[in-house]
Amino acid sequence: MHFFGQLRRMAFLLGTVASLSLGTGTEIAAQSLPSPFAQVLAAEASSVDAVAEFYRERNYTPIWTAEDSLERRTALLETLSRAKDHALPVDRYNVPALIAQMSSATTEGDRARVEMALTRAFLDYGRDLKSGIIDPKTVDKGIVREITRPDPRALLTAIVGNNPSKTLRDLAPKAPQYSQLLRAKISLEQQMERGGWGPTVSATKLAPGENGPAVVELRDRLVQMGYMSASATRDYDAAVQAAILRFQIDHGLIADGVATETTIKELNQPPSARLASIVVALERMRWLGDAPLGERHIWVNQPDFTAKIVDHGKVTFETRAVIGKNVPDQHTPEFSDQMEHMVINPSWGVPRSIIVNEYLPLLQRNPNAVSHLQVIDGSGRVVPRGAVNFAAYSARSFPFGLRQPPSDGNALGKVKFMFPNPHNIYLHDTPAKSLFAHEVRAYSHGCIRLAEPFDFAYALLAMQEEDPKAVFESHLKTGRETTVKLDKPLPVHLVYFTAFPGSKGQMTYRKDIYGRDKQLFQALEAAGVALPALQG
């Protein structure tokens, strides 16, 4: 039977049960003794306090199975049947099982169990769509983002008090990037139905001026991907070069218009790989939820190796960034916080992990090693090296710290930007400027280094100073460590998107530098999220 025909039949059956045994939902409240329906529903709802309270306050009036609930019930079942539109696990909500349970309902107790089954399905769907399918902390220890799960009672109250179809639509994240990702998902799925992007490029490198079959493969691939119009050229001409340049920009590659080995490798990625990145990005957007990012906020997308200041949805400042190395315990974590101040001419308090793993072995071999660092006690006082027997301590027992005073060669450069957090992560300057010319910039111990930290500081201070550059430089010239508070704390979001809409709405893709997307996609698959198969 067609799905909507099934819904009409279920409406008739449930209405019959309701009218024979209980009448409309409002009659429950009028009964002096709990009906069998209310008794069973109370027992079914008791496992979740918020749900039990919701129904108790309604005197167990049903919201799905009363005679007047057809519109709400139909909207829910239609929505659940289309859960894959949001890359959600359709089988988790099990619409066929719900319909079968509705079809077989003949008693008040059966109807109460149907009522609760529909409530559970609705709450599961609302939870997944509003805040994500997967708990981020179960995927990777570097994902330390705190997510807010929706209140079940609030969800139930909303579906009862408003247009049900609109309420169900409004569960999705409202950020425009989420809608853009959904459109990209649909486009890729349609491309896969048409057989993908055609043959891959067999050459390992192609450059402007070349011609022949390999250039034709490159041309055809670019046409199928939408980077150039249909063409009969066999030459690596200006049109092909321009298309490659746009492709490189969209994929975070060195943009020179030459189809290098790295560029061709990215070109040959199948649409299913890009679709997987989008599915993961949708889940990450759900983790962010509808909590405001901040009218002005800092956005550090780790796979993009950039830090941006965003004002009212527009990027007003952008700089290249270096993130943590791709080695255990040095990955930059994912979380959000509030930037409170900057420190000009900072000292570098060497993290404990670096002290015991890298510097203590050097000091044990040579007490004068790393001479640019001061040995300090627990109160921050400098301890003469000659007074310390480094060989007497292990990594666990070493009682001292190491600090680098403000200097031109300080590891933090001339300024650091602080959002105090338990992970000891912050943004800062660096003397190692050459690393910003690299395509992949994962070199730090976890903190984020900025290519243009002074300009970043000016942009932050512009909100509270008439001449932010003069204020910054007046502190800088003293050579003294100086804390400058931000008048208004600024939200900072350290995120990890390998697929994200660009400034012009086009999809951009980045490499999965830490392998987190791979782990998250595997978790989504295990939860029941499935990609369509490539056709043709």
Side-chain angles (χ1 to χ4, degrees):
M1 183 183 296
H2 188 272
F3 177 70
F4 297 106
Q6 288 180 310
L7 287 182
R8 286 192 291 271
R9 181 170 180 269
M10 294 310 105
F12 171 76
L13 289 170
L14 287 173
T16 300
V17 173
S19 61
L20 288 175
S21 59
L22 200 61
T24 64
T26 56
E27 293 178 16
I28 297 176
Q31 297 182 9
S32 58
L33 296 175
S35 68
F37 176 91
Q39 293 177 24
V40 174
L41 183 57
E44 290 282 321
S46 63
S47 61
V48 180
D49 290 345
V51 177
E53 184 178 2
F54 171 81
Y55 276 110
R56 188 164 54 248
E57 290 186 354
R58 291 174 55 83
N59 291 319
Y60 300 99
T61 304
I63 64 173
W64 309 109
T65 59
E67 286 186 285
D68 59 359
S69 301
L70 175 61
E71 180 186 7
R72 187 179 302 126
R73 184 170 63 248
T74 301
L76 174 63
L77 292 171
E78 290 178 0
T79 297
L80 295 181
S81 70
R82 296 194 304 270
K84 66 178 182 180
D85 293 352
H86 290 275
L88 297 179
V90 177
D91 290 346
R92 175 177 291 191
Y93 320 114
N94 207 345
V95 172
L98 291 173
I99 291 176
Q101 188 175 359
M102 292 163 62
S103 178
S104 62
T106 58
T107 68
E108 283 194 71
D110 290 342
R111 186 159 69 96
R113 283 180 279 273
V114 169
E115 174 76 20
M116 197 58 209
L118 290 167
T119 289
R120 290 192 190 99
F122 166 65
L123 292 177
D124 286 346
Y125 179 82
R127 176 184 183 274
D128 292 348
L129 187 54
K130 282 189 74 68
S131 61
I133 305 161
I134 305 297
D135 182 347
K137 293 180 181 178
T138 65
V139 177
D140 185 285
K141 67 179 182 179
I143 308 176
V144 293
R145 181 167 302 285
E146 298 290 341
I147 60 174
T148 302
R149 294 299 188 183
D151 174 32
R153 186 176 176 184
L155 290 176
L156 290 167
T157 300
I159 196 70
V160 169
N162 300 283
N163 177 279
S165 295
K166 182 179 185 303
T167 300
L168 288 160
R169 285 195 305 271
D170 288 348
L171 292 172
K174 296 176 178 59
Q177 293 87 350
Y178 188 82
S179 297
Q180 291 172 301
L181 286 165
L182 286 180
R183 289 194 291 272
K185 173 180 173 291
I186 293 170
S187 177
L188 281 170
E189 288 171 341
Q190 292 172 342
Q191 191 70 42
M192 291 174 69
E193 290 176 0
R194 295 192 293 268
W197 291 317
T200 57
V201 180
S202 58
T204 56
K205 181 179 179 180
L206 292 167
E210 296 189 46
N211 57 44
V215 174
V216 172
E217 291 176 346
L218 178 65
R219 176 205 69 193
D220 291 346
R221 189 85 172 171
L222 290 167
V223 169
Q224 286 295 317
M225 297 179 82
Y227 280 96
M228 62 181 294
S229 302
S231 169
T233 185
R234 296 174 59 84
D235 300 325
Y236 198 131
D237 56 16
V240 173
Q241 185 175 359
I244 285 292
L245 191 66
R246 288 194 298 275
F247 177 89
Q248 289 170 328
I249 292 171
D250 286 349
H251 292 76
L253 306 173
I254 293 176
D256 56 9
V258 177
T260 61
E261 182 176 357
T262 300
T263 299
I264 290 176
K265 182 178 179 181
E266 292 302 308
L267 271 165
N268 284 340
Q269 290 292 319
S272 58
R274 301 307 185 197
L275 182 57
S277 294
I278 286 176
V279 166
V280 167
L282 288 167
E283 177 72 354
R284 290 182 182 279
M285 288 299 300
R286 292 189 284 261
W287 288 347
L288 291 172
D290 285 327
L293 297 175
E295 291 184 355
R296 172 172 244 231
H297 62 267
I298 297 165
W299 183 266
V300 179
N301 187 15
Q302 296 171 38
D304 190 35
F305 306 107
T306 57
K308 301 175 181 179
I309 297 176
V310 181
D311 287 285
H312 302 283
K314 301 292 185 182
V315 176
T316 55
F317 179 85
E318 178 175 349
T319 184
R320 288 165 291 165
V322 166
I323 65 171
K325 297 175 187 175
N326 188 20
V327 298
D329 299 322
Q330 294 188 28
H331 293 174
T332 300
E334 298 173 54
F335 65 99
S336 295
D337 214 302
Q338 297 276 328
M339 183 173 289
E340 298 176 0
H341 62 274
M342 67 181 72
V343 179
I344 302 171
N345 298 313
S347 297
W348 178 42
V350 183
R352 177 76 181 178
S353 61
I354 300 177
I355 292 173
V356 299
N357 294 326
E358 299 182 25
Y359 292 151
L360 180 57
L362 296 176
L363 291 164
Q364 288 172 333
R365 291 193 294 270
N366 176 9
N368 295 315
V370 290
S371 58
H372 62 292
L373 301 176
Q374 297 172 332
V375 179
I376 57 174
D377 63 17
S379 299
R381 294 173 298 212
V382 176
V383 178
R385 292 189 181 215
V388 180
N389 180 7
F390 295 102
Y393 299 105
S394 67
R396 182 182 295 273
S397 65
F398 188 64
F400 301 104
L402 297 176
R403 179 177 63 202
Q404 184 180 20
S407 66
D408 290 340
N410 188 284
L412 305 184
K414 294 292 188 178
V415 61
K416 64 178 180 179
F417 305 91
M418 304 302 292
F419 39 105
N421 60 81
H423 319 292
N424 198 27
I425 297 298
Y426 45 89
L427 279 59
H428 65 89
D429 184 14
T430 175
K433 303 295 187 184
S434 63
L435 298 178
F436 293 108
H438 295 199
E439 186 174 273
V440 175
R441 298 187 288 276
Y443 297 106
S444 81
H445 286 85
C447 287
I448 297 101
R449 306 174 188 172
L450 303 181
E452 300 167 288
F454 287 11
D455 290 334
F456 187 78
Y458 305 156
L460 296 180
L461 293 174
M463 303 302 291
Q464 63 192 61
E465 303 289 351
E466 290 186 7
D467 191 343
K469 184 175 180 180
V471 170
F472 180 86
E473 291 187 350
S474 68
H475 293 301
L476 185 67
K477 289 175 182 177
T478 68
R480 295 191 300 271
E481 189 165 8
T482 305
T483 297
V484 177
K485 291 186 177 180
L486 299 182
D487 288 350
K488 184 178 180 180
L490 197 60
V492 181
H493 305 286
L494 308 186
V495 298
Y496 191 100
F497 285 95
T498 61
F500 203 71
S503 59
K504 298 179 180 179
Q506 83 284 13
M507 283 307 303
T508 65
Y509 297 95
R510 298 295 184 266
K511 296 175 183 175
D512 185 13
I513 182 68
Y514 293 152
R516 287 180 186 158
D517 269 22
K518 180 180 179 180
Q519 294 180 74
L520 178 51
F521 184 69
Q522 289 172 345
L524 290 169
E525 283 190 311
V529 174
L531 299 186
L534 185 67
Q535 301 298 312

